[in-house]
Amino acid sequence: MSDYYQAAIERFGDWLETARADERIIDPTAMTLATVSADGQPSARMVLLKQVDTSGFVFYTNTRSRKGTQLADNPKAALVFYWEALMRQVKVEGDVQVVSDAEADAYFASRPRLSQIGAWASHQSEPLESRAVFDARVDSLEAEYAGREVPRPPHWTGFRVRPHWMEFWQGRDGRLHDRERYFRDAAGTWQWVLVNP
């Protein structure tokens, strides 16, 4: 593993821990996830980071959702973390792969029960006739799984963004910001460069 890639992941971990320790930041794991459809239309939304290590950045979702179908068509993504109170931003770009069933099962089992029910009840990104229809679906599923564990839906799993490009931005007065980029070159070797603000 490249020293520069290891350094980038370790640096991200340090910045994330600093953000977690700062009471001004409501959810330090919140990140913008950008995907692109098969016809080239970009789309972005907020999701939560659930794991990060040298294998990549992991989030979970319904595979039938807009982001799920876009990732199936075009398995590439960009992430942005922005911690305003710290004047820090991290951007990540990379290829995307589905996590193993064992990983998805373990994470799903750790979720609050209502979130587990919701993963079954929500036909994510599809039109909804009314809130009452959705609430009835939730009630029905709660009755169906009363007294037993809720299994992971087959259409719900995790995605791992495997970086090939990361950039760290530290805000400074006068917009004289610090920007440092870690990236994999054409030969597959990780590099580091300082970037103009």
Side-chain angles (χ1 to χ4, degrees), residues 90-154:
V90 179
K91 297 192 292 183
V92 178
E93 295 179 8
D95 298 321
V96 178
Q97 62 182 204
V98 177
V99 304
S100 69
D101 285 345
E103 288 175 276
D105 288 343
Y107 176 68
F108 188 81
S110 75
R111 301 183 87 208
R113 186 175 179 84
L114 188 57
S115 296
Q116 293 175 337
I117 293 290
W120 282 98
S122 177
H123 303 168
Q124 197 171 33
S125 300
E126 294 180 14
L128 179 63
E129 182 182 343
S130 70
R131 182 68 195 204
V133 168
F134 179 73
D135 290 343
R137 226 182 282 150
V138 170
D139 291 344
S140 174
L141 286 159
E142 285 182 323
E144 180 181 347
Y145 291 112
R148 59 192 181 104
E149 291 185 5
V150 180
R152 177 175 64 89

Side-chain angles (χ1 to χ4, degrees), residues 17-60:
E17 287 310 308
T18 299
R20 282 179 165 145
D22 194 315
E23 295 179 355
R24 298 171 296 174
I25 299 173
I26 296 171
D27 194 336
T29 66
M31 60 186 185
T32 300
L33 165 68
T35 56
V36 179
S37 67
D39 64 0
Q41 176 60 51
S43 178
R45 76 290 286 156
M46 301 300 294
V47 298
L48 299 178
L49 175 70
K50 293 302 178 182
Q51 178 186 339
V52 60
D53 55 32
T54 53
S55 66
F57 294 73
V58 177
F59 64 93
Y60 289 84

